[in-house]
């Protein structure tokens, strides 16, 4: 029996990790085995690549090298953690996945969506989430949350200019509009418990 693969997407500070945790707790309370994980990272190999990607020292990566590194991290994550968990019937709740590469490396950095999807086909045999929860939040509220959380210490990608993040947000909304069967777009404003109730309803309806 195959488990379900649920992904949270959205910009910085929208509450993805809090909502991943709350969803996992609710599913576990129903007796479901749930694996929570995140990208970039989730396995030792992918976490090593994460450190390369997000460190704020050094010269940084060109757009193409960056896209390849995200795809490589995802390949290891999919092969060694996500697919085995789904195969044994566990549900996987993941903080970010392919649509982040499509939005940040494709939408934000300007590589084509087709190229990002090709990398995913090669790296991860095109594995797609069953449900993708896109959390949306007013940019100024998201920026205030990030400031509270990280005390102003932004990573290499989080620290990019506001227009970069605006392109990312637009790209996410475009993907959701193009594929409504896979996406649920959920307003992330308000109390975490209220957002969680909306998330759970969307998962149950999918
Ligand atoms: P994450 O740790 O989820 O940051 P946050 O909690 O701020 O959302 O992700 C780290 C950064 O990596 C974030 O700025 C988004 C970026 N990212 C990409 O650019 N491409 C990707 O494929 C993924 C998974 C993340």
């Amino acid at each position: 029996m195959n488990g379900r693969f649920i992904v949270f997407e959205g910009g910085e500070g929208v509450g993805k990790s809090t909502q991943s945790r709350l969803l996992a707790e609710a599913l576990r309370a129903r007796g479901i085995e749930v694996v929570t994980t995140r990208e970039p990272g989730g396995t030792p190999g992918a976490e090593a690549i994460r450190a390369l990607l997000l460190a704020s020292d050094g010269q940084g990566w060109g757009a193409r090298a960056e896209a390849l590194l995200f795809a490589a991290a995802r390949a290891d994550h999919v092969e060694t953690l996500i697919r085995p968990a789904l195969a044994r019937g566990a549900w996987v709740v993941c903080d970010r996945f392919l649509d982040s590469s499509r939005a940040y490396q494709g939408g934000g950095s300007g590589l084509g969506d087709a190229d990002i999807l090709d990398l995913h086909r090669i790296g991860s045999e095109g594995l797609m989430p069953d449900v993708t929860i896109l959390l949306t939040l007013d940019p100024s509220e998201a920026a205030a949350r990030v400031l509270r959380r990280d005390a102003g210490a932004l990573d290499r990608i989080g620290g990019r200019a506001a227009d970069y993040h605006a392109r990312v947000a637009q790209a996410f909304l475009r993907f959701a509009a193009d594929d409504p069967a896979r996406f649920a777009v959920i307003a992330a404003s308000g109390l975490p418990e209220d957002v969680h109730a909306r998330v759970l309803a969307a998962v149950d309806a999918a």
Side-chain angles (χ1 to χ4, degrees):
M1 192 198 73
N2 253 24
R4 304 192 80 198
F5 182 23
I6 301 170
V7 171
F8 283 91
E9 294 281 10
E12 333 275 311
V14 296
K16 295 180 299 301
S17 53
T18 303
Q19 291 304 324
S20 303
R21 181 172 51 73
L22 293 175
L23 177 64
E25 284 167 7
L27 295 173
R28 284 186 190 120
R30 296 177 180 179
I32 297 169
E33 185 199 346
V34 183
V35 173
T36 53
T37 186
R38 69 157 181 189
E39 289 206 344
T43 58
E47 291 287 338
I49 296 175
R50 178 189 177 92
L52 293 175
L53 278 162
L54 300 182
S56 52
D57 54 351
Q59 292 181 311
W61 303 98
R64 286 168 191 281
E66 181 178 286
L68 285 159
L69 284 168
F70 275 111
R74 183 163 302 124
D76 187 67
H77 191 208
V78 165
E79 185 177 337
T80 65
L81 189 137
I82 297 176
R83 281 198 196 274
L86 294 172
R88 68 172 187 267
W91 290 32
V92 175
V93 175
C94 188
D95 185 341
R96 295 193 183 279
F97 192 65
L98 171 68
D99 293 308
S100 279
S101 284
R102 297 174 69 204
Y104 285 80
Q105 283 66 53
S109 304
L111 259 87
D113 196 43
D115 285 344
I116 304 293
L117 291 170
D118 274 349
L119 293 182
H120 189 55
R121 180 179 50 75
I122 295 164
S124 301
E125 297 175 280
L127 178 72
M128 294 302 277
D130 296 303
V131 184
T132 303
I133 309 280
L134 174 59
L135 296 177
T136 61
L137 192 63
D138 175 71
S140 58
E141 197 176 332
R145 285 190 191 178
V146 169
L147 207 61
R148 278 200 299 277
R149 181 190 65 186
D150 300 340
L154 288 166
D155 62 47
R156 194 198 295 279
I157 294 174
R160 285 177 187 164
D163 66 327
Y164 179 89
H165 291 290
R167 285 200 299 282
V168 167
Q170 280 162 12
F172 275 130
L173 289 173
R174 208 166 53 239
F175 305 150
D178 288 347
D179 195 353
R182 177 165 69 82
F183 277 90
V185 181
I186 292 183
S189 55
L191 293 173
E193 303 82 65
D194 296 338
V195 180
H196 168 63
R198 298 199 279 274
V199 168
L200 199 56
V203 169
D204 284 339

